[in-house]
Amino acid sequence: MPGQVIDRRQVLGGAAALAGAVALGPPAAASDTLKDRAARRGLFYGAAVQVGRLSSDPAYRAAIIRESAVVVPEWEMKWGALEPSRGKPDFARADALMDFAAENGLEVRGHALVWFRHIPPFLTKDLAPEEWRRAMLSHIERTAGRYRGRMLHWDVVNEALEPKDGRPGGFRKAVFGEILGDIYVDEAFHAAQAADPAAKLYYNDYGLDYTDAESEARRRATLAFVEDRVARKVPVHGLGIQAHLQAGRPFDAERYRRFLKDIAATGVEIALTELDVKDRRLPPDIAQRDRAVADHARAFLDAALDERAVKGVVTWGITDRYSWLSATKGSMRDDGLTVRGLPLDDDMQRKPLWHAIAEAFDHAPSR
Ligand code: G3I
């Protein structure tokens, strides 16, 4: 395949042999997985994965296969990861994920075709706007076209809104918008639809969950964004709510239900696309933290899953062992302890959060 730098077999290695060789303990009962508890209500559960670890960590691979019906690459399908040098795309990791999903009967969410972060180094501000536009459209055509008919969703545009920047429509002051005008959003969605008419096309964003003024402004801008595109027949099929939660932060379930109802009234579907729970406001005691994290997530999921337009839940990782939360300023704990914001702990054992998600599925109205 042109430009393929790493052979995909190198990425996944002899994973099958590895998995076979390593005794991973008794398999969980069939109904006792997040994907089965979700499916029983017509929902899906999935997790973000780090592709290389699917071959380097058999216990991680087994947990993903056991619990998830959907996988999303944590970074391996971002433009900066796919085209580190101009005109030399490297799809080995992305192809490896698609192969893994196909081999294990999993669906894939593509993430993310256009995002102002993790972009290729050749996209610099001295490049003419027409060059940016041509590069963006050919990236979308090449990437979404490569997996045509095989993607459940594409996050076509990620995090385009930032009301704090004071721009019209609450658009973010960042590349793409600044260089191409905010029309780049519509162009991206139309290009993605042309490249893969079968995929559901999502707009994905964060900071929509709480009742402070900033979150209210983000919800207002997001609703207007969706309404405007639906009215102009821009192919936005779904809203991805990242749902990076913070235990200990006040959550207003009724306000949240109203927001989801307003979004659903536009006709688009909704998915919770990056659920995890920061615990830096909580004391170090593990039992206390796990309980508070589980209760917080449960309250949020009960409100969110009451809205039938919500089709599923993806956690941003499956195990605390590899969570971005423990490696990122703003979510790392001051005491340096591992953040416990995902369903499985460092040893791939189920935590109260796993049970909270499972029980939220059990109590959700069937789709
Ligand atoms: O690119 C290198 C790659 O060449 C190298 O081989 C590999 C080896 O580990 O590392 C890669 O680097 C980093 C990658 O994570 C893997 O650790 C990237 O430099 C780094 O930018 C990347 O960070 C990801 C970040 O998005 C940017 O893509 C995080 O893992 C990922 O959790 C984070 O996810 C974002 C969502 O996409 C959008 N919503 C917020 C969320 C959290 O920030």
Side-chain angles (χ1 to χ4, degrees), residues 44 46-49 70-80 82 97-98 107-119 136 139-141 143-145 147 150-160 176 184-193 195-196 198-206 208 225-226 235-244 268-275 311-316:
F44 65 77
V49 296
V70 177
V71 288
V72 55
E74 191 164 341
W75 56 273
E76 295 85 347
M77 283 189 187
K78 287 162 184 171
W79 193 355
L82 290 177
L97 178 67
M98 297 305 286
E107 296 279 6
V108 183
R109 294 198 82 249
H111 174 84
L113 291 170
V114 180
W115 186 28
F116 68 99
R117 291 190 199 284
H118 210 159
I119 58 175
M136 179 185 83
H139 163 63
I140 293 170
E141 186 189 336
T143 306
Y147 305 120
R150 298 166 61 193
M151 273 299 178
L152 179 68
H153 303 157
W154 265 111
D155 285 338
V156 177
V157 173
N158 190 46
E159 303 176 9
F176 295 111
Y184 83 91
V185 170
D186 300 4
E187 292 170 335
F189 274 94
H190 283 298
Q193 184 168 61
D196 185 356
K200 289 255 174 86
L201 305 179
Y202 270 66
Y203 172 69
N204 194 54
D205 216 331
Y206 66 89
L208 300 169
F225 174 99
V226 172
V236 178
H237 307 129
L239 172 66
I241 295 178
Q242 293 184 12
H244 291 294
V268 306
E269 63 182 46
I270 301 165
L272 306 180
T273 54
E274 304 183 14
L275 177 67
K311 302 301 180 193
V313 180
V314 175
T315 50
W316 202 242

Side-chain angles (χ1 to χ4, degrees), residues 103-344:
E103 284 153 17
N104 293 287
L106 309 180
E107 296 279 6
V108 183
R109 294 198 82 249
H111 174 84
L113 291 170
V114 180
W115 186 28
F116 68 99
R117 291 190 199 284
H118 210 159
I119 58 175
F122 67 81
L123 282 182
T124 56
K125 293 211 171 169
D126 55 25
L127 214 56
E130 266 326 295
E131 287 287 296
W132 275 78
R133 176 169 277 107
R134 201 189 340 269
M136 179 185 83
L137 295 176
S138 72
H139 163 63
I140 293 170
E141 186 189 336
R142 178 177 56 214
T143 306
R146 187 182 184 89
Y147 305 120
R148 187 184 179 98
R150 298 166 61 193
M151 273 299 178
L152 179 68
H153 303 157
W154 265 111
D155 285 338
V156 177
V157 173
N158 190 46
E159 303 176 9
L161 299 175
E162 182 43 89
K164 281 190 301 190
D165 290 351
R167 295 189 60 243
F171 275 89
R172 180 182 295 276
K173 194 173 172 356
V175 291
F176 295 111
E178 276 189 310
I179 294 163
L180 302 178
D182 298 322
I183 192 66
Y184 83 91
V185 170
D186 300 4
E187 292 170 335
F189 274 94
H190 283 298
Q193 184 168 61
D196 185 356
K200 289 255 174 86
L201 305 179
Y202 270 66
Y203 172 69
N204 194 54
D205 216 331
Y206 66 89
L208 300 169
D209 316 306
Y210 296 102
T211 44
D212 55 293
E214 185 181 328
S215 302
E216 285 290 352
R218 296 186 70 86
R219 280 197 290 271
R220 270 197 308 276
T222 301
L223 178 57
F225 174 99
V226 172
E227 286 173 336
D228 176 27
R229 269 138 204 89
V230 168
R232 292 188 292 105
K233 303 212 178 327
V234 176
V236 178
H237 307 129
L239 172 66
I241 295 178
Q242 293 184 12
H244 291 294
L245 304 182
Q246 299 163 41
R249 194 166 171 187
F251 170 69
D252 180 335
E254 281 325 302
R255 177 70 196 85
Y256 205 63
R257 282 188 172 86
R258 284 200 305 277
F259 169 61
L260 295 179
K261 201 170 159 59
D262 290 345
I263 293 288
T266 68
V268 306
E269 63 182 46
I270 301 165
L272 306 180
T273 54
E274 304 183 14
L275 177 67
D276 51 22
V277 188
K278 295 182 178 75
D279 64 6
R280 64 192 317 247
R281 298 180 183 204
L282 302 180
D285 176 79
I286 284 186
Q288 232 182 308
R289 268 200 277 162
D290 283 358
R291 185 70 269 141
V293 161
D295 293 347
H296 191 80
R298 178 69 195 272
F300 171 81
L301 287 171
D302 281 350
L305 297 180
D306 268 355
E307 173 50 64
R308 283 185 166 76
V310 175
K311 302 301 180 193
V313 180
V314 175
T315 50
W316 202 242
I318 199 160
T319 169
D320 299 334
R321 184 186 297 179
Y322 302 129
S323 173
W324 72 290
L325 293 173
S326 294
T328 307
K329 253 201 339 274
S331 49
M332 291 162 88
R333 289 179 56 88
D334 298 341
D335 54 22
L337 294 174
T338 300
V339 178
R340 295 175 66 89
L342 286 170
L344 305 183

